Structures are given as C-alpha cells and as structure tokens.
Amino acid sequence: MSTSTTSTASTAGNPQTEARELKKGSLAALKGLAPFLKPYRNRFIVAGIALVVAAGSTLAIPYAFKQMIDLGFGTHAGISSARNVNMVFLALFAVATILALATAARFYSVSWLGERVTADIRSAVYAHVVQQSPEFFETTQTGEVLSRITTDTTLIQSVVGTSISMALRNVLLFLGGLGMLFVTSVKLSSIIIGLLVLTVLPIVMFGRRVRKLSRDSQDRIADASAMAGEILNAMPTVQAFTHENMESKRFGASIEGAFVTAMRRIQARAFLTALAIVLVFGTIVFVLWLGAHAVLEGTMTGGDLGQFILYASIVAGAIGALSEVMGEAQRAAGATERLLELLSVKSEIQNPQHALALPPRAANGAALSLQDVIFSYPSRPDTAALSQLSLDIKPGETVAVVGPSGAGKTTLFQLLLRFYDPQLGTIRLDGVDIKQLDLHTLRDAIGIVPQDTVIFSADAMENIRYGRADATDQEVIAAARMAAAHEFIERLPNGYRSFLGERGVRLSGGQRQRIAIARALLKNPPLLLLDEATSALDAESERLVQGALEVAMEGRTTLIIAHRLATVQRADRIIVMEDGKIVETGTHQSLVALGGIYANLAALQFHNVQVTH
C-alpha cells in the first residue's frame, strides 16, 4: 500500500492534515525533528563550538598565504624573507593542528547526535504504532511501517549526523569567505555576488523537481518493502499454490519501478550538481580574470590576488557542498514527513481522561453486560457486524457463543477487549462502562486464547510468561501443566529453554494452541475468552486440554466461541448468533429440542441427534 493511500485512509477529512499534505517535501518538515533534538542541546553547543573553530581555522589559511607571498616574494621582500616564510609556515602548521582537533570533535559530536536521535525516533515511532487500534492495521501494511522505521530513519540519521553539520560548516565558510572577499577587493566581490545571484535562481527552481522525485523514490521503496513483508509471511500458501516464480516477478517489477524512480532522482541531482558547478565556477573564473589584470595594472598585490583566489575557492566549494547537502536534506524532509504522518495518526480507542477503577474482584469471576450494542467495522460501515445485541452474563457463568461464520462471534470478543468501540450501546464489566476504564485495567481483567495462535521468536518459558511478565519459572510450569503442555515442552531439546522458531514453526498446531492456553491461564483473569481454543487439537490433546480448561474456568466467567459443538455442550448457557443478532438461547438439550439453527448445526455434527421441527 502506498503512503498516499495509507495517509488518506487514516486522516481523510482533517483540514489540518490536508493542509500539511500540500507541503510534502518542504524542508520545513525538518522542524518536526525539533522535539527529538531538544534534549541534546549541550551536544549541539559542543559541536557548534568545534564547528566555528574549524571554520575559523580554514578561513585563516588564505590570509597566511597572502602574508607568505607579499612578505616572502613580493616587492617588499628582503633579507628577512626567509624568516617571514618560516614564521608563516609555523603559523600554518598551528592552524592545521587546531583545524584537525576541531574537526575530530565536530565529527564525534554530530555522529553521536545522529545515532542517538535516530534511535529515539525509531523507539518513538514503534511505541506509537503498537498503541494503535486494529483499525489502523486494516489500512496500513506492516511492511510499510517497517520501511518507515528503518529506511526513513536512516535518511534522518545521515542528515542529523552529517548533513546538518556540513551545511552549517559550509554556511560559515560561505559567509566568512564572502566577508574576506570584500575585505580583499570590494569591486571584484561586488561583481562576483551579482553574478552568483543570477546563477542561484535556476538552481533553486530545478531543486524543486529533485525534492518531488525524492519523495516518489521513498514511496516506491516502501511499496516494495510492504509487498516483500506480506509474501514472506505467507510463504506456505505461496508455495502450496506454486506461485514462487509469480511472486518473484511481482517483487522484481516493484523493485524495478523503485529503481526507475530512483534513477530519475539521481539524474536530476546529477544535472543539478553539474549546473551548479558550471555556473558558480564560471562566475569565479571570470572574476579572477579581472583580478589578474588588476595585478598587472598594479592596483592589487600578488598576495591579495592569491588570497582572493583561495577565498573564492572556499566560497565556491561551500556553495557546491550546500547544493549536495540540500539534496540530502530534501530526501530527509520526505522521510521526516512520512514519519510525522505515522506519529500524527491517532487511535480512535483512547483512555478516558478520568479512568474509573473496577470494584474488588469477586471470587467467582466478573459480571458482563451488553445493552443494545450496534457495531459496523470502519472498512465496512454499511454492514452491521452486531445489531441491537443485548446480553447479561453472571459472575462465574460459562457461556458458549455459536453460529455460522460471519455471525459476529469474534466481533463480540473484539468489542469486549475494546479493540473497537460500538457505534451505539454500552458494554459493562462488573457494572462499569468499559469506555470509562483504563485500557490496561480492562485488558488485564481479560484473558484470551485466540483462534490464530501467536508464538514469538523466543523460548517456551518466555512465550508462556508473556501472559504475566513477573511470573516465576514455577508459575509458568504450573500453567503449562494445566494446559497439558508440560510433557511436550519437556521433550524439546532444551526443555523450557528451547527456541520455538519464528511464529512457532517448530511446533504442531495443537502444541501452539496449548502454549497459548498456558499463557492465558498464567494471566489468571476474572474473564476468560476462548476463541476456538481447541480447534487445532487432535482427539487426545483435546481431551487433555478440555480437562485443563474445565479446571481453569472454575472461579471465573468464561465465554467460548466454538464451531465444534462437543466443546460447548457443558456450558451453562449457549448463545446462538446469526447476522449479528442473538437468535436462540438455552442449553444444548433445550436448543436441540427447539429445532432451530443450533439443532441444524448439531444434526450436521452429531448424526444421531434427532432434530425436532
């Protein structure tokens, strides 16, 4: 997904955002880095002092050469010429030493700043992204986010750690050199300034095209990165459908598009550099020709002309360097805009300003109440996922939620966790509207075993401990025993310290599910949500886990989503959903006798069930 698409999806209708979008690529975007630079002002001061000393040392060199020429070789040179030359060269060595020390100090300071600020930006962007609601990830690919955190921050690092310093250094050299040119010859300096003003205008105009191409180049790289991330996360599916070659060609075409865009940017920058050099140095050569005639006419000394040449070279070099730095700064401006876009996205799910506390935890779990809940997903606003849903669950009650796919079962769980807020209606946990609860307070009270188990790239011990970060090893092992996971973990090469592979590739589906169950049990919440918790288990594993879940459900409220009705028969109550509504409620026996949707589902799964019509 392109950046423009992402931005539109997440910020449409916001006038301030739309105004900001019109300024994309502007160097003013670099102002957004100010909050990250501010904590390190002392480092900037040190770098600034070193920068001034280094620039001053550089500007002193042409004056030393003037003295050497006029005192050592000019018309006034005499018996003291050798001594004068010796003193000048000693002074030059002293200046070079100061220049070396100041340059080293500047390099270290700005490099430290580049690394430090980049690390801070990456941390800030990542911390902001993980706070976003699922709505954000409906419209943004993870590859796009990763591209911004890595590629874009690397560009910013080059600017903060190198380009800013180079820009300031060359600004000082330009201003200092320009001042010394006027000290040397007002006439020649006035001519050279007038001509340089005329040369700068086409450079600035063409620079705008470079800025736009820089932004386009970053977008194409992000597109390729997003595509690669999506395909690499779905390799089993890609290989099962034998689409390896097709996906390689798609990625190759995307990379080729990024290459073509990058080459347009590089060609534009190359032309801009050539244009700047030809115009600037052509101006300087013309003025130096005038200076040479002034020496021949006796209105300037040879030392003055030599000094003027060196200062003119410094000024020209500074302008050339600034043009290159400007190109880097424009690329970084585009990168900064992309990162600021990401940081400006605000989740619709926010903590209340004055959060309420849950009442003391009851011994038998939490009470749950839904009243007239209406909800549609942001990506499907015209389709109601839940419609006028009302439900009351008592503390300690086990309620199963069944129904065909798309009935709204998983949506119900997402609303309970406040991944989304309903458009209408209220949800209360222990009598408190969940919108009035701190998000961490709410989610700490809920444990979930999702249908798609997530296993992190860590060992078994840490994967289970994800349920409660401060749990001891003994508590982790106890949770694993309850989830019937202890035996297979012990058989792993390193037991609980065995690395489970990226996304748990070293485990079977049933083993991954039992890790997830152990994680939820370790959390020990008053409300437990089981979303197809046993769907991936074989018959023997299901028997073991069902026993563990029955123990785990004691003393807490439990909601179970299951397509396999054998899982829910012993629930206190079964809720049957269809098209986002509750259409049937009762026990297994009463619902079978009712002869409705549940009875038909049961008839499909239990051939010996007699369905009453």
Side-chain angles (χ1 to χ4, degrees), residues 71 156 174 216 269 279 321 383 386 442 457 481 494 534 598:
L71 298 179
I156 292 174
F174 174 78
D216 292 343
R269 281 196 62 191
L279 293 177
T383 303
L386 295 178
L442 170 66
S457 297
R481 289 183 185 276
N494 297 311
T534 61
Y598 182 87

Side-chain angles (χ1 to χ4, degrees), residues 20-73:
R20 178 170 54 80
E21 290 285 342
L22 296 176
K23 298 180 182 178
K24 284 182 178 179
S26 171
L27 292 178
L30 294 175
K31 293 179 181 177
L33 298 177
F36 298 99
L37 301 174
K38 189 175 180 181
Y40 309 111
R41 59 173 66 90
N42 291 338
R43 289 274 183 172
F44 274 103
I45 292 173
V46 171
I49 293 172
L51 189 63
V52 171
V53 172
S57 301
T58 303
L59 292 171
I61 293 174
Y63 179 74
F65 272 93
K66 166 185 162 56
Q67 297 299 316
M68 180 185 68
I69 293 172
D70 286 346
L71 298 179
F73 310 108

Side-chain angles (χ1 to χ4, degrees), residues 531-542:
D531 187 358
E532 298 284 359
T534 61
S535 62
L537 305 182
D538 54 42
E540 178 62 20
S541 296
E542 183 176 5

Side-chain angles (χ1 to χ4, degrees), residues 379-443:
S379 58
R380 304 185 297 276
D382 297 329
T383 303
L386 295 178
S387 179
Q388 297 290 336
L389 184 69
S390 295
L391 177 65
D392 289 305
I393 300 175
K394 300 174 183 177
E397 189 176 9
T398 297
V399 176
V401 184
V402 301
S405 297
K409 305 183 297 297
T410 300
T411 300
L412 173 62
F413 279 19
Q414 291 180 322
L415 293 186
L416 294 179
L417 288 160
R418 259 202 98 193
F419 290 161
Y420 300 91
D421 280 336
Q423 282 79 34
L424 293 172
T426 58
I427 302 173
R428 289 184 171 86
L429 182 67
D430 283 335
V432 182
D433 189 335
I434 63 173
K435 291 183 181 179
Q436 301 303 314
L437 292 172
D438 181 87
L439 286 172
H440 285 187
T441 299
L442 170 66
R443 292 168 184 170

Side-chain angles (χ1 to χ4, degrees), residues 175-253:
L175 295 176
L178 197 60
M180 292 304 297
L181 283 177
F182 276 96
V183 170
T184 307
S185 174
V186 175
K187 177 184 175 181
L188 294 181
S189 299
S190 299
I191 294 173
I192 200 171
I193 292 300
L195 293 175
L196 284 176
V197 169
L198 295 177
T199 64
V200 165
L201 291 177
I203 294 173
V204 171
M205 296 296 294
F206 197 76
R208 294 179 179 178
R209 173 172 170 77
V210 176
R211 184 173 63 212
K212 181 180 182 300
L213 291 173
S214 296
R215 173 77 187 208
D216 292 343
S217 178
Q218 287 304 112
D219 285 345
R220 299 293 77 76
I221 293 172
D223 290 343
S225 178
M227 178 187 296
E230 180 181 28
I231 298 305
L232 292 176
N233 284 330
M235 281 311 299
T237 302
V238 172
Q239 294 176 349
F241 285 89
T242 63
H243 282 182
E244 297 94 330
N245 291 337
M246 185 184 76
E247 295 300 345
S248 296
K249 290 178 181 178
R250 281 184 60 208
F251 182 74

Side-chain angles (χ1 to χ4, degrees), residues 58-175:
T58 303
L59 292 171
I61 293 174
Y63 179 74
F65 272 93
K66 166 185 162 56
Q67 297 299 316
M68 180 185 68
I69 293 172
D70 286 346
L71 298 179
F73 310 108
T75 57
H76 300 292
I79 194 169
S80 60
S81 296
R83 185 173 67 252
N84 290 335
V85 169
N86 292 339
M87 292 300 295
V88 168
F89 275 98
L90 285 173
L92 276 174
F93 180 76
V95 169
T97 302
I98 295 172
L99 175 63
L101 294 175
T103 301
R106 175 187 62 83
F107 173 78
Y108 176 82
S109 297
V110 298
S111 297
W112 185 94
L113 284 166
E115 296 289 345
R116 180 69 268 166
V117 170
T118 302
D120 290 349
I121 292 173
R122 284 173 176 158
S123 296
V125 172
Y126 187 81
H128 182 74
V129 168
V130 298
Q131 299 293 330
Q132 300 305 306
S133 68
E135 179 183 353
F136 171 82
F137 295 99
E138 281 188 22
T139 56
T140 307
Q141 291 178 312
T142 54
E144 169 82 4
V145 175
L146 292 175
S147 172
R148 298 190 188 197
I149 293 176
T150 54
T151 305
D152 290 355
T153 51
T154 299
L155 287 175
I156 292 174
Q157 177 184 351
S158 70
V159 168
V160 176
T162 304
S163 298
I164 290 179
S165 171
M166 293 293 293
L168 292 175
R169 174 179 179 272
N170 285 287
V171 166
L172 289 176
L173 291 177
F174 174 78
L175 295 176

Side-chain angles (χ1 to χ4, degrees), residues 451-524:
Q451 182 176 1
D452 296 323
T453 302
V454 175
I455 300 296
F456 298 98
S457 297
D459 59 35
M461 181 71 73
E462 294 306 315
N463 261 285
I464 297 176
R465 188 177 275 124
Y466 203 81
R468 181 158 55 87
D470 61 351
T472 65
D473 289 357
Q474 291 72 26
E475 289 173 324
V476 171
I477 293 172
R481 289 183 185 276
M482 292 179 64
H486 176 72
E487 289 76 11
F488 82 77
I489 292 175
E490 284 285 275
R491 290 195 296 269
L492 295 174
N494 297 311
Y496 280 85
R497 296 301 176 186
S498 296
F499 176 68
L500 301 182
E502 186 174 2
R503 302 174 66 193
V505 295
R506 297 184 179 181
L507 301 179
S508 67
Q511 289 172 336
R512 289 196 295 270
Q513 197 74 348
R514 279 180 275 174
I515 292 285
I517 293 170
R519 187 185 294 161
L521 295 176
L522 182 65
K523 190 176 184 181
N524 191 28

